[in-house]
Amino acid sequence: MEPLKLYMLLLGCTTPGRHTEQHDVFFGIAHKLSDLVPAMKAFWPEAGDKLHIDAWREVTSVGNYHITVVPREEVVDNPEQLYFLNLGGYKPGEMEEYHYKMLSVSKDIGAAIREAKETAFYKHTGFSSDASPAATSHVDDKYGVDVDDIIPVKDILPEPVRTLYQLKVTQVAEPVPEDELHLGYFQLHKI
């Protein structure tokens, strides 16, 4: 049997009453991707049979850290946490809010936000003009940057998973290769 893995998925669907495809990020723990189908459907029941995956990855490494799934009862001392950040930004003349989804292993939210401010997305997706004075890359005094979302991944795993498992974050000396990103239109019944 394959080991348990943490998965990050970009789910998509056009729900009844909407004019454009909607998206949300789902995190789950399973032996293989197809094992997550019931949890994905429970996560977004309004999507019905239109629910699909637009992107996914196994989360095994972030920067200089390995991410592993361990039983809840195992003693884990994680001085750092795995955070999910969803940044928002704008481009002149385009009627769209662009998003950049990233993972960060950091000691706290402030450190994760400082890392986000160093991304090319944050530096280049925003502007200011007389007509659009608030089109900057989401700056907010409360956190120093108003990311659309910043959440510890452990807190957004489905409830049944959180009672059984936890994430172990282990620092390594050398940067590890990024996890493969799978992009496309993946129908749930074909994964």
Side-chain angles (χ1 to χ4, degrees):
M1 181 178 284
E2 293 188 39
L4 286 169
K5 303 170 197 160
L6 174 65
Y7 288 91
M8 176 181 177
L9 298 91
L10 179 64
L11 300 178
C13 75
T14 303
T15 55
R18 298 292 177 210
H19 302 290
T20 60
E21 184 175 338
Q22 311 293 296
H23 292 95
D24 205 344
V25 174
F26 174 81
F27 287 89
I29 292 175
H31 293 285
K32 59 185 191 278
L33 184 63
S34 60
D35 292 344
L36 291 174
V37 171
M40 287 184 268
K41 289 180 176 182
F43 173 74
W44 203 344
E46 306 85 7
D49 62 358
K50 295 186 185 264
L51 186 64
H52 61 273
I53 301 169
D54 283 312
W56 66 274
R57 70 180 269 195
E58 293 177 18
V59 181
T60 63
S61 61
V62 176
N64 285 20
Y65 296 88
H66 280 296
I67 310 299
T68 53
V69 176
V70 297
R72 170 61 55 202
E73 57 274 357
E74 185 175 314
V75 176
V76 173
D77 179 27
N78 287 339
E80 291 87 15
Q81 276 196 71
L82 177 63
Y83 290 98
F84 164 67
L85 293 89
N86 186 31
L87 305 175
Y90 306 93
K91 295 180 181 180
E94 295 187 27
M95 190 172 174
E96 185 69 56
E97 180 185 1
Y98 295 94
H99 287 94
Y100 178 68
K101 291 149 185 58
M102 65 177 280
L103 295 174
S104 171
V105 174
S106 304
K107 291 188 184 295
D108 56 43
I109 287 175
I113 290 171
R114 285 189 294 281
E115 182 181 343
K117 287 175 128 181
E118 295 303 315
T119 64
F121 178 89
Y122 183 83
K123 292 177 179 179
H124 301 291
T125 311
F127 66 98
S128 178
S129 70
D130 290 340
S132 302
T136 58
S137 292
H138 289 22
V139 175
D140 178 340
D141 293 335
K142 183 169 45 172
Y143 294 121
V145 58
D146 180 15
V147 294
D148 282 355
D149 303 287
I150 181 167
I151 310 163
V153 171
K154 67 182 179 81
D155 293 345
I156 56 175
L157 288 167
E159 180 62 34
V161 170
R162 286 188 305 218
T163 61
L164 296 173
Y165 307 107
Q166 61 183 323
L167 301 177
K168 183 175 181 179
V169 178
T170 309
Q171 189 168 14
V172 294
E174 298 289 322
V176 288
E178 284 195 28
D179 297 310
E180 182 179 359
L181 186 58
H182 304 267
L183 302 170
Y185 182 87
F186 303 95
Q187 295 175 324
L188 298 186
H189 70 277
K190 291 185 178 180
I191 59 169

